[in-house]
Amino acid sequence: MVDGGGLSRELERRTPRPATRLAHLLTSGGDARLSVDPATRLNGYGCRPEPRHEALSFASSTATSISVRAFVAVQAAYWRLGRSLGERRFSRLFGDMTEELRAEIKTLLSLEGSDTEIVFSPSGTDAALHALIVARSLCGTPLVSVIAASDETGSGTNDAAQGRHFNSVTARGVPVVKGERIAGLADGVASAPLRCRNADGTLRTDAEMDDDVLCAVARAVAQGQRVLLYVMDHSKLGRRCPTRAALGEIRSAYGSSVVVAIDACQMRLSRDALKWYLDQGFMVAITGSKFFTGPPFSGALLVPPALAARMSLVADVPAGFRQYAARDDWPAAWGRFRNGLADGANVGQLLRWVAAVEEMRSYFAVPSAYRARALRSFAATVPSLIVERPELQPLPDSRAPFAADGEREDEMAVRTIFPFLLRRSGKAMALAEATAVYRALNRDITPLLPPTISIDEYRLAAQICHIGQPVAVFDSTTSTMTGALRISASSRFVSETWSSRGYPESLVNLDREFDRVLTILSKTQLAIRHFGHLQGRI
Ligand SMILES: Cc1ncc(COP(=O)(O)O)c(C=O)c1O
């Protein structure tokens, strides 16, 4: 968080080259997850704050390095801001640019003309925290956060949903202790995490998940507690829960005792579904950094008109929350709440959203028929490429049939995340081993392999491949925690394969992408076969 003059001086002192300065800004205004290792120039999620041409990337379930197109958009926004650095008009310009982003996001998501408000945040996890602030402000305490599919959301979401610090540093750069209570926010707040997998790793059925959610809500209400229900649409591995039927039941049974926030941070839902949720009066947490491949990380909470109108009367800001957010992050219409927050522009967050909006714009500029076709083609092709390799064990589709009326025709009706376990010597590899393979994929491993490998294997080993980081899944046959790696379709997969010259060229581009997936899978096999050489060295 910076004022104009401070930003200018500090950046020029630390980073004399403009591009480096931009990369530095893109990693500011968030938590420690944005930190870049000076040796590799990668963050903990394998992303670089500059375009990373050399990587074959299907990592949108976790995070993706910025594209050239988005980097150019960020550069333009930076120069626009830069003209007012050190001047008083910096904060007005920053506020204007934030409002422009709000308007553009609403247009892109087909929400223009609605009184839905947008709260910006540095990540999806921060958006979960913001949902708690809204629910607590409107309903008071005691309050229970019921979290559906708590085992397949962000690793910090459980803490955020209870009003606890979820990282070692806040977006305003204040060091904190993960898991400790955020002053004024955690009091009177408890959480009820509901896992979507049983202890043996099997999926809980839709009926079981509905039952779990209904019981947790009923129990809380019977005890005189208010409920913030985090609904999953959809999770890291594709789960959606509870069902709409259960949501309808909750609404009619408990009315305003239950506030609902949809965890749509993967942004793998249709605009129709998004609108449907908002029309029900549900908040929706989104990000620009997963399906839409904006640089890590950017989040936002969409607040439906009825809740937004009530928030405009709220003035109390929990003391500890001032360490997280600044005035411009919150809607202009919520003046009383904003007054309780500090001034101070989060330039990094703004620039990351500028990049994400550029990707969203490119995606929605593609004809809808091609968007649907490309994603359908991904959904048909990628599993067939995974299944034919004995070292890779695909996980079944865990998505409940959750489509709204008419959504079936939408591009998001198909599966876009394809998780698979790794098998070595006939057994699923443990989580730590899967993590080592995941790291091996994202670097040149030629120095680690024996000199006897063939020239083709050498080329494969040198290729940088970036996919979604492992998600812990219990394997009952070995009684160990395994790790599911993920290959995912993203908005860029669609916008960068589309050719305005027409389908034939676009389809050739799609084939090029599937060749890249093949390369990634072949490198994964190579890493597994030579795992003995990699173990302990990666
Ligand atoms: C379903 C879901 N919700 C929330 C999050 C947290 O988002 P972020 O990584 O932007 O904090 C994630 C992260 O992977 C996620 O998959």
Side-chain angles (χ1 to χ4, degrees):
M1 296 276 177
V2 286
D3 63 88
L7 171 77
S8 163
R9 282 189 300 277
E10 182 61 14
L11 279 180
E12 276 165 26
R13 187 178 66 75
R14 282 209 233 164
T15 55
R17 279 180 53 233
T20 319
R21 216 174 289 160
L22 211 52
H24 179 81
L25 267 180
L26 280 170
T27 57
S28 70
D31 55 51
R33 293 178 294 163
L34 290 176
S35 306
V36 168
D37 178 334
T40 59
R41 304 270 314 124
L42 300 176
N43 67 14
Y45 300 85
C47 298
R48 187 163 289 163
E50 303 119 356
R52 195 170 177 233
H53 311 278
E54 68 275 27
L56 305 183
S57 182
F58 291 85
S60 66
S61 58
T62 303
T64 311
S65 298
I66 190 168
S67 69
V68 172
R69 172 177 48 216
F71 200 74
V72 169
V74 166
Q75 228 157 9
Y78 174 65
W79 292 129
R80 189 173 160 206
L81 270 176
R83 281 198 290 276
S84 69
L85 284 179
E87 295 175 19
R88 228 187 267 147
R89 70 189 176 95
F90 174 83
S91 47
R92 179 139 29 97
L93 177 63
F94 185 86
D96 290 349
M97 287 173 72
T98 308
E99 286 309 317
E100 285 166 24
L101 273 180
R102 283 198 172 96
E104 178 121 35
I105 291 171
K106 282 177 74 169
T107 304
L108 287 165
L109 296 180
S110 302
L111 299 172
E112 69 272 57
S114 112
D115 290 329
T116 296
E117 293 288 3
I118 298 181
V119 183
F120 281 119
S121 58
S123 74
T125 311
D126 289 80
L129 182 69
H130 292 174
L132 173 63
I133 302 256
V134 172
R136 196 183 195 279
S137 301
L138 300 182
C139 303
T141 54
L143 183 145
V144 178
S145 288
V146 174
I147 310 165
S150 58
D151 44 345
E152 291 191 10
T153 181
S155 57
T157 300
N158 266 309
D159 280 329
Q162 292 178 74
R164 293 174 183 268
H165 298 296
F166 50 84
N167 197 270
S168 56
V169 62
T170 72
R172 291 179 63 82
V174 179
V176 289
V177 177
K178 181 172 159 39
E180 285 203 347
R181 304 157 78 82
I182 300 176
L185 186 54
D187 308 335
V189 179
S191 88
L194 303 175
R195 301 172 63 84
C196 66
R197 282 177 192 272
N198 296 306
D200 65 0
T202 54
L203 275 174
R204 290 185 74 63
T205 64
D206 292 335
E208 286 171 334
M209 280 314 293
D210 280 359
D211 211 41
D212 292 348
V213 171
L214 287 163
C215 287
V217 171
R219 200 176 313 120
V221 176
Q223 289 169 358
Q225 294 165 318
R226 300 300 175 129
V227 175
L228 167 57
L229 170 60
Y230 291 90
V231 169
M232 181 55 77
D233 186 1
H234 70 51
S235 76
K236 287 177 176 193
L237 295 179
R239 188 70 195 265
R240 291 165 162 165
C241 57
T243 62
R244 288 192 178 180
L247 282 178
E249 225 176 288
I250 288 168
R251 253 166 64 101
S252 52
Y254 306 111
S256 60
S257 301
V258 179
V259 176
V260 175
I262 310 297
D263 180 344
C265 289
Q266 284 287 339
M267 267 314 250
R268 295 172 199 274
L269 80 174
S270 70
R271 293 187 287 192
D272 283 348
L274 186 69
K275 182 172 178 311
W276 186 86
Y277 285 134
L278 291 165
D279 286 347
Q280 309 306 303
F282 301 161
M283 295 184 274
V284 185
I286 63 170
T287 71
S289 54
K290 302 220 184 281
F291 179 77
F292 281 109
T293 71
F297 291 98
S298 62
L301 183 68
L302 308 183
V303 182
L307 299 185
R310 290 171 58 203
M311 271 308 286
S312 66
L313 305 174
V314 171
D316 270 356
V317 176
F321 185 60
R322 296 198 184 98
Q323 299 173 334
Y324 278 85
R327 208 164 282 167
D328 284 313
D329 299 342
W330 290 70
W334 302 357
R336 295 178 197 195
F337 192 85
R338 277 167 62 110
N339 285 343
L341 291 166
D343 228 339
N346 188 338
V347 177
Q349 177 181 292
L350 177 101
L351 294 181
R352 293 194 296 276
W353 260 115
V354 165
V357 164
E358 184 61 28
E359 301 292 357
M360 291 169 82
R361 209 182 284 132
S362 308
Y363 178 74
F364 288 117
V366 172
S368 60
Y370 179 75
R371 300 201 305 260
R373 179 161 182 176
L375 292 178
R376 266 204 317 272
S377 178
F378 193 92
T381 309
V382 171
S384 67
L385 302 181
I386 295 174
V387 81
E388 65 195 22
R389 290 154 203 266
E391 293 89 348
L392 312 180
Q393 178 190 333
L395 290 187
D397 191 356
S398 62
R399 297 171 331 135
F402 209 57
D405 291 344
E407 196 194 335
R408 221 162 285 281
E409 292 311 310
D410 191 281
E411 62 259 37
M412 286 303 170
V414 295
R415 194 181 186 194
T416 58
I417 298 182
F418 296 87
F420 54 91
L421 302 179
L422 309 180
R423 299 191 73 81
R424 183 166 173 252
S425 314
K427 283 193 315 198
M429 291 173 83
L431 179 58
E433 296 172 331
T435 304
V437 171
Y438 159 78
R439 289 209 193 102
L441 285 171
N442 203 21
R443 56 172 277 193
D444 174 356
I445 51 168
T446 51
L448 302 178
L449 297 187
T452 48
I453 58 170
S454 70
I455 188 71
D456 285 346
E457 287 176 322
Y458 186 90
R459 276 201 205 100
L460 209 49
Q463 176 61 56
I464 310 287
C465 303
H466 189 209
I467 62 174
Q469 67 171 358
V471 176
V473 176
F474 192 77
D475 176 51
S476 58
T477 57
T478 51
S479 293
T480 50
M481 197 56 91
T482 59
L485 305 191
R486 291 164 290 164
I487 290 189
S488 308
S490 68
S491 71
R492 246 189 257 173
F493 165 77
V494 174
S495 59
E496 293 184 355
T497 53
W498 166 245
S499 164
S500 55
R501 283 196 283 271
Y503 270 65
E505 193 165 311
S506 304
L507 298 184
V508 170
N509 293 340
L510 280 184
D511 280 347
R512 183 200 60 213
E513 290 300 308
F514 295 133
D515 283 345
R516 290 176 174 171
V517 172
L518 272 173
T519 302
I520 292 174
L521 297 176
S522 299
K523 180 165 178 188
T524 310
Q525 284 180 299
L526 181 76
I528 294 172
R529 286 180 191 151
H530 290 282
F531 193 69
H533 295 276
L534 305 176
Q535 212 164 11
R537 300 170 73 195
I538 210 144

